[in-house]
Amino acid sequence: QVQLVESGGGLVQAGGSLILSCTVSGRAFNTYNMAWFRQAPGNEREFVGGISRNGRNKYYADSVKGRFTISRDNTKNTVYLQMNSLKPEDTAVYYCAADITLVPSTKPEGYNYWGQGTQVTVSP
């Protein structure tokens, strides 16, 4: 069973920056497409950004384009989300997800494995 563990969440002021990390168990990390989703209370789980297995292709939700950067280090089985110019509306639980099928998707149903989530809170 593939395990994903997020870290790096916390409290930050608007305009600040935060970086999230997600470590993935096993030897097949470099065969997975990876993504970050977020979910605020009462809201649907929302796609934030995705990255292909070699890190060459990236895709972002319009709401975070120009502010967030997804990256990965396949030598460390880790995917990152660098978040800059944070806004209060970015407040949510952020989840790391892995797709073993390589079928492109921005929907939660397109991902096979999920982390436990890490809380990001942006104060005004």
Side-chain angles (χ1 to χ4, degrees):
Q1 192 74 37
V2 176
Q3 303 288 329
L4 284 67
V5 180
E6 300 102 333
S7 62
L11 176 64
V12 64
Q13 292 183 351
S17 297
L18 201 63
I19 184 166
L20 307 182
S21 299
C22 172
T23 58
V24 181
S25 68
R27 293 183 174 270
F29 175 73
N30 65 354
T31 73
Y32 305 153
N33 289 331
M34 299 295 299
W36 289 94
F37 289 77
R38 66 187 183 187
Q39 188 168 23
N43 293 345
E44 297 181 358
R45 190 162 296 190
E46 174 189 27
F47 176 82
V48 176
I51 187 168
S52 61
R53 57 186 176 180
N54 63 7
R56 292 291 303 276
N57 300 308
K58 302 176 182 180
Y59 185 81
Y60 300 97
D62 288 342
S63 59
V64 306
K65 284 181 181 177
R67 300 189 298 119
F68 290 12
T69 302
I70 190 170
S71 62
R72 66 193 296 163
D73 185 345
N74 286 351
T75 71
K76 298 181 178 180
N77 276 27
T78 301
V79 62
Y80 304 93
L81 186 68
Q82 177 68 55
M83 303 183 292
N84 298 322
S85 301
L86 282 161
K87 305 174 181 179
E89 50 262 48
D90 294 319
T91 295
V93 177
Y94 283 70
Y95 297 92
C96 179
D99 165 30
I100 68 173
T101 72
L102 300 183
V103 178
S105 179
T106 59
K107 300 291 187 181
E109 307 85 76
Y111 293 82
N112 306 96
Y113 302 108
W114 292 84
Q116 82 286 357
T118 186
Q119 177 71 46
V120 172
T121 301
V122 184
S123 63

